[in-house]
């Protein structure tokens, strides 16, 4: 047993399998919580365990249905607060609304900040997340935030594959820092794709900085949404003479035309983590490998409870 009876780990309905894996790593039983809907669609939560004075963790990704899962998380936090929990940590493997982190047009919201305010107002005393899309999101919170990266999990996977002649390709300029870290971790070359976004769904990769000819390309990003960026980049690197194309992401959203695009693309393999559960049409439609972040989150929960540093869980 890693933890004692002063700790309770609860799971929302977004990703029950991940909750089971985390609790399995920690050697604890998932906390009891009844979650159901009233006839009019409102969510109802009842905590079955005594949480008075205890250190509570709620594992809930705010993935599709985003609003429903977010509201469920807020209600669970409020429930624990009113049940006199000592500390409430919202463990959010995937943080929805993270991309709306600034005003890039007139009369638009900064929804990432709004969600941060809602979590704090509900009663969360700490947030634990993975790859929040942008580092500045940590500053949106008035409570402590532990910002993990899935890099250790994904780097291990790539190292174990022993890829010959690897080149890390950043699918866009904004991902260069992440790509550079992977270059040092797996000792690969670096190339950068310059893309032009046509609209919210479509992108066009125009040119590439660096050489990919005769090499095996690895592209890693924080998320795959409609797959426009990676599919466009894969087409370009293949045109430039690349051999195999492997694409990875922490969060596999696979929205809209993503599956169809990947099926018709030059991508040979895709890997994602289990921060978001994959739909059946995704599993059956494309060649995707799922890596688990359960151990990473479980170890982080253990260290947060013991007031220990989690810095060593990150690759340097």
């Amino acid at each position: 047993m890693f933890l004692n009876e002063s700790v309770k780990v609860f799971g929302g309905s977004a990703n029950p399998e991940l909750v089971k894996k985390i609790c399995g790593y920690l050697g604890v039983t998932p906390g009891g919580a009844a979650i159901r809907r009233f006839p009019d669609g409102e969510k109802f939560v009842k905590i079955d365990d005594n949480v008075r004075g205890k250190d509570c963790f709620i594992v809930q990704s705010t993935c599709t249905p985003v609003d429903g899962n977010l509201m469920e998380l807020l209600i669970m936090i409020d429930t624990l607060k009113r049940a006199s929990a000592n500390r409430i940590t919202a463990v959010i493997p995937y943080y929805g609304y993270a991309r709306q982190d600034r005003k890039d047009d007139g009369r638009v919201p900064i929804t990432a900040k709004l969600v941060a305010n809602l979590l704090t107002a509900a009663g969360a005393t700490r947030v634990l997340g993975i790859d929040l899309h942008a580092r500045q999101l940590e500053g949106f919170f008035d409570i402590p935030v532990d910002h993990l990266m899935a890099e250790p999990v994904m780097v291990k996977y790539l190292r174990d594959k022993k890829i010959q002649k690897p080149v890390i390709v950043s699918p866009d300029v904004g991902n260069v820092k992440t790509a550079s870290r992977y270059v040092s971790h797996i000792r690969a070359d670096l190339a950068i794709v310059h893309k032009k976004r046509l609209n919210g769904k479509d992108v066009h990769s125009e040119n590439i900085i660096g050489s990919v000819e005769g090499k095996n390309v690895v592209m890693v990003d924080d998320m795959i949404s409609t797959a426009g960026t990676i599919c466009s980049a894969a087409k370009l690197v293949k045109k430039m003479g690349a051999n195999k194309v492997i694409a990875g992401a922490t969060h596999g959203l696979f929205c809209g035309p993503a599956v169809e695009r990947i099926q018709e693309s030059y991508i040979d393999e895709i890997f994602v983590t289990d921060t978001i559960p994959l739909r059946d049409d995704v599993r059956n439609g494309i060649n995707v490998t799922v890596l688990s972040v359960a151990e990473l989150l479980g170890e982080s929960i253990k260290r947060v409870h013991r007031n220990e540093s989690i810095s060593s869980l990150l690759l340097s």
Side-chain angles (χ1 to χ4, degrees), residues 55 87 126 302-309:
D55 196 2
R87 182 169 62 172
R126 193 177 199 94
K302 181 178 72 172
R303 295 190 183 194
V304 167
H305 170 63
R306 294 178 175 175
N307 295 313
E308 299 173 350
S309 172

Side-chain angles (χ1 to χ4, degrees), residues 142-169:
D142 297 322
I143 56 177
V145 176
D146 292 306
H147 187 181
L148 300 173
M149 292 182 289
E151 253 176 64
V153 176
M154 300 166 84
V155 165
K156 182 181 184 303
Y157 174 73
L158 292 172
R159 284 174 176 168
D160 291 345
K161 287 182 70 68
K162 300 186 184 330
I163 302 169
Q164 300 298 312
K165 295 182 179 180
V167 55
I168 302 295
V169 173

Side-chain angles (χ1 to χ4, degrees), residues 8-14 16 19-20 23 29-37 43-51 56-60 72-73 75-80 83:
K8 289 290 184 180
V9 179
F10 296 90
S13 56
V19 177
K20 289 179 183 177
C23 290
T29 302
I35 304 172
R36 62 178 185 268
R37 286 186 181 274
K43 280 281 182 78
F44 171 81
V45 174
K46 184 180 187 301
I47 301 299
D48 297 328
D49 299 343
N50 176 20
V51 297
C56 296
F57 296 82
I58 308 171
V59 182
Q60 175 81 328
E72 182 177 294
L73 174 59
I75 294 172
M76 292 186 76
I77 293 171
D78 183 75
T79 306
L80 290 173

Side-chain angles (χ1 to χ4, degrees), residues 92-309:
I92 311 176
Y94 170 69
Y95 183 85
Y97 288 112
R99 286 171 287 182
Q100 298 181 41
D101 61 352
R102 65 194 181 282
K103 289 194 68 170
D104 54 2
D105 200 355
R107 298 176 297 281
V108 297
I110 304 179
T111 321
K113 172 60 175 171
L114 170 64
V115 173
N117 289 343
L118 290 171
L119 290 167
T120 305
T125 53
R126 193 177 199 94
V127 168
L128 178 64
I130 300 180
D131 286 330
L132 297 177
H133 190 65
R135 301 292 307 191
Q136 64 262 29
L137 263 66
E138 297 176 36
F140 288 9
F141 289 87
D142 297 322
I143 56 177
V145 176
D146 292 306
H147 187 181
L148 300 173
M149 292 182 289
E151 253 176 64
V153 176
M154 300 166 84
V155 165
K156 182 181 184 303
Y157 174 73
L158 292 172
R159 284 174 176 168
D160 291 345
K161 287 182 70 68
K162 300 186 184 330
I163 302 169
Q164 300 298 312
K165 295 182 179 180
V167 55
I168 302 295
V169 173
S170 176
D172 54 45
V173 176
N175 195 49
V176 172
K177 286 186 178 180
T178 299
S180 298
R181 291 197 301 269
Y182 278 88
V183 166
S184 62
H185 294 323
I186 67 172
R187 298 181 180 179
D189 296 327
L190 174 66
I192 304 167
V193 171
H194 176 252
K195 74 175 184 180
K196 180 179 180 181
R197 180 163 291 282
L198 305 177
N199 52 53
K201 296 181 180 179
D202 302 309
V203 297
H204 173 63
S205 296
E206 298 181 322
N207 50 60
I208 188 167
I209 303 169
S211 175
V212 297
E213 186 174 0
K215 299 178 181 179
N216 292 308
V217 167
V218 178
M219 294 186 291
V220 183
D221 212 340
D222 66 319
M223 67 175 67
I224 297 175
S225 182
T226 60
T229 296
I230 61 165
C231 290
S232 178
K235 181 178 180 180
L236 178 61
V237 297
K238 275 289 190 179
K239 182 180 177 181
M240 296 294 184
N243 291 332
K244 192 174 182 180
V245 179
I246 302 171
T250 304
H251 311 298
L253 280 71
F254 299 109
C255 306
V259 172
E260 183 179 353
R261 280 177 172 172
I262 294 170
Q263 289 173 338
E264 298 173 354
S265 74
Y266 292 94
I267 299 172
D268 298 288
E269 178 191 345
I270 286 185
F271 63 96
V272 296
T273 74
D274 56 356
T275 58
I276 297 174
L278 293 186
R279 306 186 308 273
D280 289 340
D281 65 303
V282 177
R283 290 184 178 275
N284 298 330
I286 59 177
N287 176 25
V288 57
T289 300
V290 180
L291 313 176
S292 184
V293 293
E295 184 174 333
L296 176 65
L297 287 171
E299 184 64 23
S300 299
I301 288 172
K302 181 178 72 172
R303 295 190 183 194
V304 167
H305 170 63
R306 294 178 175 175
N307 295 313
E308 299 173 350
S309 172

Side-chain angles (χ1 to χ4, degrees), residues 20-34:
K20 289 179 183 177
K21 290 178 182 178
I22 292 171
C23 290
Y25 174 79
L26 292 172
V28 301
T29 302

